[in-house]
Amino acid sequence: MKTIIGRVVLIKKNLLDVIDLSASVLDRVHELLGKNVSLQLISAHHPNHQSSGGSLRGKVGKPAMLEDWITTFAPLTVGESSYKVSFEWDEEMQVPGAFLVQNNHHSEFYLKTLTLEDVPGHGQVHFVCNSWVYPAKRYKKGRVFFTNKAYLPDETPEFLRSYREEELELLRGDGIGMLEEWDRVYDYAYYNDLGDPDKDIDDARPVLGGSSEYPYPRRGRTGRPPTKSDPRTESRLPLVKSLDIYVPRDERFGHLKLSDFLANGLVSIVQFLVPEFKALCDSSPDEFDSFQDIMKLYEGGFKLPDGPLLDRIRQNIPLEMLKVFLETDSSGVAKFPTPDVIKEDKSAWRTDEEFAKEMLAGVNPVKIRLLKEFPPTSKLDVEVYGNQNSSIKSHHVEKNLNGLKVDEALVAKRLFILDHHDSLMPYLRRINATTNKIYASRTLLFLQNDGTLKPLVIELSLPHPEGDNLGAVSNVYTPAEYGVEGAVWQLAKAYVAVDDSGIHQLISHWLNTHAVVEPFIIAANRQLSVLHPIYKLLYPHFRDTMNINAFARQILINGGGILEKTVFPEKYSMELSSVLYKNWVFPDQALPVDLVKRGMAVEDSDSPHGLSLLIEDYPYAVDGMEIWSAIKSWVEDYCRFYYTNDDMIKNDKELQSWWKELREEGHGDKKHEAWWPEMNSCQELIDICTTFIWIASALHAAVNYGQYPYAGYAPNRPTISRRFMPEPDTPEYEELKENPDKVFLKTITPQFQMLLGIALIELLSRHSSDEVYLGQRECPEWTLDAEPLNAFQKFGTKLKEIEERIVAMNNDEKLKNRVGLAKVPYTLLYPTSEEGLTGKGIPNSTAI
Ligand SMILES: *[C@@H]1O[C@H](CO)[C@@H](O)[C@H](O)[C@H]1NC(C)=O
Ligand SMILES: *[C@@H]1O[C@H](CO)[C@@H](O)[C@H](O)[C@H]1NC(C)=O
Ligand SMILES: CC(=O)N[C@H]1CO[C@H](CO)[C@@H](O)[C@@H]1O
Ligand SMILES: [Fe+2]
């Protein structure tokens, strides 16, 4: 009989709860010693003689207890503690493939790793656990963890198979009852928890998902009781309990630094800032009079009104979470950080050049497309909406085409469009009945010889006052710099920016990243074992998404939540996103496919990534294709290591179940779409995984972390408009002549929403201190397999090279779209970042 020494790294719950992590660790670690926590190794190669009937299971060793605390191992992060365990081992055991752990302590701990120092004839063995282990009474079965070797289902050592299968069964759950804090169940539900019909009929919201009227991706099931008023909807948690919303336990921000700041930050926005800002704006309901007035928000000068927040500041009660994003002094004078777009130049945002540049290198660079026909047409149903084709005529644009005729410019592929017409028109009547007044818009742009875009014309449209079927009523505006025409043009651009900011937030950001990713995560956890190589590949890209989405349902996207308060579709916001989900096509999310579909690139086998861009200096596409290709070759190397032929894909039952469930349940409202890839070949697997990783990491980064840099200054990207364009011969038009800035500010986002919106996007644009970036791994032992580890290194090196190239391009003055007049270099797809509000960095996952 020999002894194998193991080392367990874990984090105790109470160390995560306290803000001050330096609080004495020593005092408390002894609690886990003695008989409190036991571990038993499971052999991968030798059956358990005692097991009766059924499948054979690996031999289970004798329980071993946590021993003394080891202080000598260096690289422990704050809060972690390390324990010794001595396992009895005999020859028969051979290599352990798993272990069981039982927690008899009264509270849970976060188990990070177990390392066996020297298994005879084998050497070190790693178990990467990263899981909360609750007291044994919370579980029906003991907790099992596996070594870091990846196995396809059929290749799993025989004596581990039933453990593998049982673990998946546990994670799938039984589909009934309310899920509790310690549960680990991944299951599906509709978005039926956004409204609160018991409170008020106005607070009811439609169920999103499960119908052809309102299709939606699924969210994680929570199982709270239904509301009294509507059995189809789930009751909501009170605001103060928001942090308790169920997500499978290991999806909860468990990382130890203060990444909880997000959840806490959101709650403090609602608890403190909403009433404060409201009071502030109610006490002085004036508009901002001038752009200088707005600058006070960043330069120190807006004072918090008397109220609970100011009281707390005066009494010096720490408001850690608030301080993260709002700097206040003891007298309550507060300021926000200066957004990048006005750092170098306070008025460049007003230029046509910057307006156009942000469509290629801003926070929503995913909408612009090549114009293929003139005038632009509509795809809305003529029976319902009448003639929605554009009313733009060639004389509107030709004066700005540098001598070209429209047809020539079309043929030369130099006309582009930002088209927010069809997506908004069906909702305008309802939105305009609220206090918001918005237009559907089309903006045409011309590609100039220097590679920059110039706006040519903006068309603003409303439904016909006498009925939708009578078609659109449209006005067309052309660029003007001076006088009232200049003011009108400035407003026209603002209406476009409003449309774009709403579509950005609801579709490009929320729907096309956060919401569509969640079903992949749920299906993967239910169908792919942690031993599965594809689970190991995708796992880093799952991090925190279910958690942030759950908080979002609680605070952001719910009826009356921050999103409805700050974006123009108000209570129709989520409904609108559901209607536009009808247009979501998974394979089109692959960047090259998206670029080709938007006409921004054509296939070209001579070009480096097989594509050539129509606008060569399209920073999102240029950097995006680099990142895309790096992800793709990494995924390819990885997948081809495990799957050497297509039959292995077809015969992998976990992989097949994952993909089937994702299509039929997770994105179940689209299960009949013909565009879903089958999972029949290696190539399909590679395409699917590359697209998923792209969405969860780079696409999300591109549309998320630029929010504050570009939209933190609301005049550049207002989220709301409140009045229509003044018509000639009206008092409003006279006012516009007299004081264009004042009218501009009276039109865009009002003060309260502006403050709230700024606070929100500031929070959402931050990186937490423990972010893990693309090409990095939290745990170097994440897999045992050498070739994938090498490929992963190659991926990291590639990303470093991309960083260097991005810096070089940003310094190249010929590339005018990378920096623009506002002098904000395009860094949204720069792979790494420091903590905070940096406007760069691609975290692995959609985590904020
Ligand atoms: C809109 O334009 C398209 C393309 O020219 C045309 O086929 C269609 O009939 C037009 N729609 C209406 C309602 O005029
Ligand atoms: C980040 O993404 C890469 C790309 O797939 C992944 O391999 C890596 O492991 C990730 N980092 C983390 C947190 O593990
Ligand atoms: C200009 C315009 O179309 N305004 C309309 C906005 O919506 C309200 C409510 O449907 C109508 O009454 C307005 O005429
Ligand atoms: Fe996000």
Side-chain angles (χ1 to χ4, degrees), residues 243-274:
L243 298 180
D244 299 340
I245 188 165
Y246 172 81
V247 284
R249 186 59 184 101
D250 293 334
E251 300 294 328
R252 176 67 82 219
F253 299 131
H255 340 298
L256 310 161
K257 309 202 184 138
L258 295 177
S259 56
D260 284 310
F261 86 91
L262 173 64
N264 283 305
L266 285 176
V267 174
S268 22
I269 286 185
V270 178
Q271 267 185 336
F272 295 110
L273 293 192
V274 170

Side-chain angles (χ1 to χ4, degrees), residues 536-541 543 631 634-635 638 693 697 771-779 782 792 795 799 842-845:
K536 287 185 190 288
L537 172 70
L538 299 180
Y539 169 77
H541 308 288
R543 189 186 207 237
I631 296 173
W634 149 239
V635 169
Y638 185 91
I693 293 175
S697 61
E771 201 99 87
V772 186
Y773 296 93
L774 203 60
Q776 302 173 351
R777 231 74 210 189
E778 228 164 359
C779 178
W782 63 280
F792 187 61
F795 178 51
L799 291 171
I842 308 178
N844 263 327
S845 61

Side-chain angles (χ1 to χ4, degrees), residues 55 94 120 219 396 506 561 611 722-723 757 760 793 832:
S55 56
Q94 299 183 41
R219 62 165 174 103
H396 290 125
L506 292 171
L611 281 187
R722 295 173 279 163
R723 322 157 104 210
L760 173 67
Q793 277 221 314
T832 58

Side-chain angles (χ1 to χ4, degrees), residues 116-155:
L116 303 179
E117 292 308 345
D118 190 10
V119 175
H122 197 79
Q124 242 187 19
V125 176
H126 287 283
F127 301 79
V128 180
C129 312
N130 288 332
S131 179
W132 287 96
V133 178
Y134 273 69
K137 64 171 189 243
R138 296 297 184 201
Y139 300 121
K140 293 194 194 91
K141 288 197 169 142
R143 294 294 313 273
V144 178
F145 295 95
F146 300 93
T147 57
N148 59 349
K149 169 108 181 79
Y151 294 108
L152 294 178
D154 282 351
E155 293 168 358

